[in-house]
Amino acid sequence: MTIPEKRLAEEEEKEVKKANTDTFTKGIAGIKPEFVVKSDSISNFVNYNDDEAEGGDRNGPEEKGGNKKNNKKNRGQNKKRDLKQHKGSIRLCPSLMDPNSDRQCVSKLGKECKFSHDINEYLQSKPEDIDGICPVYQALGYCPSGLKCRWLKSHYNKEINELIQDVEKYNIVQKLNYEVNKIDNGIKYDLQKKKYNYELAEPIIKFIDSLVNTEDNNKLKQEERKDNESEYHESKFKSAEKKKINLKNAKIVSPLTTVGNLPYRRLMKTLGADVTYSEMVLSKELSMGHNPEWALPRAHSSEYPGFGVQIAAARHWSAAKACEVLYKQCNSISEINLNCGCPIDLLYKSGQGSALMDQPSRLLRILRSMNLTSGDIPVTVKLRTGVKENKNTALNLVKRVLEEGNVAAITLHGRSRQQRYAKEADWKYIEEVGKVVKDYNENQLENKDLTDIQPTYFVGNGDVFSHVDWYNGISLQGVDSVMAARGALIKPWIFEEVEAQQYLDKSVSERLDIYKNFANFAIEHWGSDEYGVNLSRRFMCEFISFTHRYIPIGIMERLPPKLNERPPKWIGRNEMETLLGSGDYKDWIKITEMFLGKAGDEFQFIPKHKSNSYE
């Protein structure tokens, strides 16, 4: 090519780039003109806070242009939101909740009962029953909420004061539809009173403590180490003795705070997910028997095998204790995952989450202690590229983790802590780290018999929003699978698209069926009484705070959709599609009323992000 021809080609390339740039604005999703609401108002754009999925507390980015004073009011998080739900003015005695049972009131034991014993008064004080059949009764053939159920008329004979039960159905269904990893109250009491016998963790903690050299009393430390080594002979589990996991091309839902609850994960299993994770569990609080933490490892029977419990830890002793009690008390866990990626300040300042990225020796001690106390449950780890932007440390850290040989899988989120969600995930760096894991696995196979070695799986994470993103990810060297987080929240059927290898333009009725399933699963989990319904409604609103961001494929001007692109204000192909895309939390409550009945005056929900608060 001559110089003039080269210059002409460069000029043509510039014109093409200019034309493409003029066609759409960077960061703004392409909507077909007939669906865009014509308005110059800045309120056309919704200011999302993507840290919500990880429990973040950082304010969202300020919108460009417009009135800065008004923008400031409409950004950041509602950090002091009160989500406690009303429990009812008249509380019926538990002995009367199920008229069919022979449960006795405590008053018959000589104690004073603080509850009401007037069934008619209680029934009259209840809100009007919700129309339809009780989701719990429909699923199980029996409703444990008894007279408290908000769908009571569907399974209660008022004339003879008797709950209707389908015993045959209950006996069949309870073997398939049940929750796992429930801890015994006696064990929880021992944890709370520090009476639990950590027969695995205690000697391992003592042993690892002895390996930590300090400048002070180094000679004494060496003597202690010799004593401890004579008392405790390390018998590390070989990989073949751990339960095997297979993450090759697995469809994985990321651990998610608040929205990654049991009903949501159960929903994702019906939509094609292979692997799910609990919400992040604080290891120290778990080992102390705290009720809120012990609610998190609970899972639905459909999740196992393929269910992982993610823990956060700052010290090896808390991780060791948490792993031992999970191993002994929970029989439906496929892996225990160490969170080394959570960016929120609360965790970071306490030395947990992404803070461990800057403390590699401590991180390795934690992984080692987890591996030695988790029994046959394999240990995995989730990392970020690093703590600071433009200073990636994951590659060297992964090399050290592989040398220790303590993990069955490594997940890498392609952003640093400092970046949060400000920039797109760095998949080039993910591939670079993936090559290291691939080389390690190949060397292991050369040095050991195939029967003795399990590969260390490597999973990429970041900006996965379509089948295109998923397949692009697994095509990279060393990447065994791809984990979806926000993509699986905004578009829960993402794995159906992966399976079909095409975009699915879900109809309104199909999307409503997804909400219906979530509502039913939520009622089964939290209960069909007023308190359970309000909790289900609250978490359904949290779910819709993500799903409303979905832009129907049929109204998009260009594909693939991008997570970090924000749409102008748009209308759907019908009124319901427009409602499902509303960013106003009052509309979210309206959607829940289709499945959970009308929200009472006592129901409270404050959206996590201020941009959804149109007060």
Side-chain angles (χ1 to χ4, degrees):
M1 183 182 290
T2 63
I3 293 178
E5 288 175 336
K6 188 175 181 181
R7 286 177 180 170
L8 182 61
E10 288 175 351
E11 289 297 323
E12 289 177 350
E13 187 178 350
K14 286 180 182 179
E15 288 298 322
V16 171
K17 286 183 177 179
K18 185 177 184 300
N20 289 337
T21 304
D22 291 342
T23 304
F24 63 90
T25 306
K26 186 176 180 182
I28 305 300
I31 307 291
K32 291 178 182 177
E34 60 267 34
F35 297 103
V36 176
V37 176
K38 300 293 187 292
S39 173
D40 296 328
S41 171
I42 195 68
S43 64
N44 283 352
F45 298 90
V46 178
N47 179 12
Y48 307 118
N49 185 347
D50 285 318
D51 286 334
E52 290 179 22
E54 296 188 71
D57 57 354
R58 181 177 67 96
N59 285 346
E62 186 176 335
E63 297 287 2
K64 293 182 179 179
N67 188 315
K68 292 185 177 180
K69 185 176 181 180
N70 290 336
N71 286 338
K72 191 171 183 181
K73 290 181 181 178
N74 211 32
R75 59 190 280 259
Q77 288 189 352
N78 291 311
K79 296 182 182 179
K80 295 182 179 180
R81 57 183 189 151
D82 182 9
L83 297 167
K84 293 179 181 178
Q85 302 303 335
H86 180 67
K87 289 194 175 184
S89 56
I90 298 179
R91 302 177 67 183
L92 191 65
C93 179
S95 67
L96 301 175
M97 285 302 177
D98 185 352
N100 302 357
S101 73
D102 55 359
R103 185 174 180 178
Q104 293 186 343
C105 177
V106 293
S107 61
K108 293 187 178 181
L109 301 175
K111 298 180 181 179
E112 182 182 355
C113 182
K114 299 179 181 179
F115 300 101
S116 171
H117 291 78
D118 189 331
I119 292 178
N120 289 329
E121 181 188 33
Y122 172 75
L123 292 177
Q124 289 174 5
S125 72
K126 280 181 62 184
E128 184 180 350
D129 275 357
I130 300 171
D131 290 333
I133 301 175
C134 169
V136 182
Y137 175 75
Q138 193 170 34
L140 304 178
Y142 166 70
C143 179
S145 292
L147 297 180
K148 293 194 296 181
C149 179
R150 287 296 317 280
W151 290 266
L152 181 61
K153 63 184 178 183
S154 68
H155 56 80
Y156 177 60
N157 188 327
K158 188 176 182 179
E159 293 180 0
I160 59 175
N161 187 31
E162 185 176 287
L163 292 173
I164 301 170
Q165 297 184 22
D166 187 337
V167 178
E168 185 178 349
K169 181 178 182 179
Y170 179 72
N171 290 335
I172 295 172
V173 173
Q174 68 172 339
K175 297 177 182 178
L176 304 172
N177 181 14
Y178 56 95
E179 293 186 5
V180 296
N181 300 334
K182 298 178 182 178
I183 186 173
D184 181 83
N185 285 333
I187 299 296
K188 195 185 295 183
Y189 177 83
D190 288 344
L191 290 170
Q192 292 168 350
K193 299 300 180 181
K194 298 183 180 180
K195 294 180 179 180
Y196 189 81
N197 180 21
Y198 289 103
E199 56 184 349
L200 294 177
E202 291 293 355
I204 288 170
I205 293 168
K206 191 176 181 182
F207 174 73
I208 293 180
D209 281 344
S210 70
L211 303 181
V212 182
N213 290 319
T214 62
E215 294 180 2
D216 299 326
N217 300 324
N218 193 42
K219 185 176 180 181
L220 178 62
K221 285 286 181 183
Q222 290 177 352
E223 291 175 358
E224 287 179 358
R225 176 176 175 173
K226 289 178 181 179
D227 291 339
N228 288 333
E229 285 178 334
S230 63
E231 290 179 17
Y232 171 66
H233 300 285
E234 182 177 9
S235 56
K236 186 166 72 173
F237 277 85
K238 294 180 181 179
S239 55
E241 293 177 289
K242 295 278 187 180
K243 285 189 287 193
K244 289 181 172 61
I245 61 172
N246 184 4
L247 300 184
K248 187 67 177 178
N249 295 338
K251 302 178 188 73
I252 308 172
V253 183
S254 175
L256 300 162
T257 300
T258 304
V259 278
N261 48 62
L262 186 150
Y264 168 75
R265 300 194 310 266
R266 184 180 173 189
L267 174 71
M268 290 306 299
K269 289 293 288 189
T270 69
L271 295 172
D274 298 317
V275 177
T276 57
Y277 290 90
S278 72
E279 299 174 61
M280 180 180 63
V281 180
L282 301 178
S283 59
K284 182 180 177 182
E285 284 74 5
L286 187 83
S287 63
M288 294 169 65
H290 286 200
N291 286 322
E293 298 308 312
W294 274 105
L296 302 181
R298 287 176 66 169
H300 189 260
S301 55
S302 62
E303 293 184 76
Y304 182 82
F307 175 66
V309 173
Q310 186 185 68
I311 68 170
R315 298 288 187 274
H316 62 272
W317 62 265
S318 64
K321 289 183 176 181
C323 284
E324 179 173 355
V325 73
L326 285 171
Y327 161 58
K328 288 182 176 179
Q329 307 305 327
C330 302
N331 58 5
S332 298
I333 298 177
S334 297
E335 61 175 280
I336 300 177
N337 180 269
L338 177 64
N339 184 323
C340 299
C342 185
I344 65 171
D345 292 340
L346 186 66
L347 243 66
Y348 182 79
K349 291 177 180 178
S350 65
Q352 303 177 82
S354 55
L356 292 174
M357 297 285 296
D358 279 345
Q359 300 282 339
S361 296
R362 180 183 295 176
L363 189 157
L364 292 172
R365 286 196 297 272
I366 291 173
L367 288 175
R368 189 177 191 183
S369 67
M370 289 173 64
N371 212 44
L372 292 170
T373 57
S374 61
D376 62 350
I377 304 175
V379 173
T380 61
V381 63
K382 190 170 189 283
L383 307 167
R384 280 184 177 252
T385 57
V387 173
K388 296 182 179 179
E389 190 173 359
N390 300 322
K391 192 177 180 181
N392 294 336
T393 58
L395 192 144
N396 290 330
L397 187 56
V398 165
K399 288 180 180 178
R400 293 188 63 177
V401 168
L402 291 171
E403 288 171 4
E404 290 283 328
N406 287 334
V407 295
I410 298 169
T411 299
L412 181 61
H413 183 174
R415 294 183 181 86
S416 66
R417 175 184 184 265
Q418 190 176 19
Q419 283 177 311
R420 300 288 180 103
Y421 287 97
K423 294 185 179 180
E424 292 186 356
D426 188 349
W427 279 89
K428 287 185 178 179
Y429 187 71
I430 289 175
E431 183 176 30
E432 190 178 341
V433 178
K435 290 176 183 177
V436 171
V437 180
K438 180 183 177 184
D439 291 343
Y440 168 81
N441 285 330
E442 290 174 351
N443 291 334
Q444 290 292 98
L445 289 177
E446 291 176 2
N447 297 332
K448 296 183 179 181
D449 295 332
L450 287 172
T451 55
D452 291 337
I453 191 67
Q454 270 281 100
T456 297
Y457 292 98
F458 183 68
V459 179
N461 175 219
D463 296 337
V464 179
F465 196 31
S466 68
H467 66 285
V468 175
D469 299 326
W470 195 88
Y471 283 104
N472 284 343
I474 63 169
S475 68
L476 301 177
Q477 287 191 64
V479 177
D480 294 301
S481 189
V482 171
M483 179 181 284
R486 290 175 297 158
L489 286 171
I490 299 170
K491 187 168 63 177
W493 59 91
I494 185 171
F495 295 126
E496 290 186 336
E497 288 194 349
V498 169
E499 191 67 29
Q501 299 186 39
Q502 63 180 10
Y503 295 106
L504 299 178
D505 190 6
K506 290 281 186 179
S507 66
V508 163
S509 61
E510 288 175 311
R511 292 171 66 188
L512 290 176
D513 282 342
I514 290 174
Y515 285 136
K516 181 181 179 180
N517 287 336
F518 177 87
N520 288 344
F521 294 158
I523 291 296
E524 283 186 52
H525 179 58
W526 284 300
S528 60
D529 61 343
E530 181 71 3
Y531 182 69
V533 170
N534 282 342
L535 265 185
S536 299
R537 195 187 308 278
R538 176 253 162 136
F539 283 103
M540 191 170 181
C541 285
E542 302 280 13
F543 182 35
I544 299 173
S545 75
F546 283 92
T547 59
H548 86 274
R549 291 169 51 179
Y550 171 70
I551 306 168
I553 292 295
I555 73 169
M556 292 198 70
E557 196 170 36
R558 64 177 184 275
L559 298 171
K562 295 290 184 182
L563 271 172
N564 291 336
E565 288 185 344
R566 303 293 183 247
K569 190 172 183 179
W570 56 272
I571 56 171
R573 291 164 288 189
N574 52 57
E575 288 185 11
M576 183 57 69
E577 193 168 71
T578 303
L579 178 67
L580 295 182
S582 172
D584 187 343
Y585 81 97
K586 293 177 183 177
D587 287 332
W588 305 348
I589 295 175
K590 287 180 186 177
I591 295 170
T592 70
E593 290 179 336
M594 299 177 192
F595 313 102
L596 300 173
K598 185 171 178 58
D601 295 336
E602 77 287 347
F603 175 72
Q604 298 180 39
F605 180 77
I606 301 172
K608 195 165 188 177
H609 198 257
K610 290 179 182 177
S611 66
N612 302 115
S613 303
Y614 290 93
E615 298 297 346

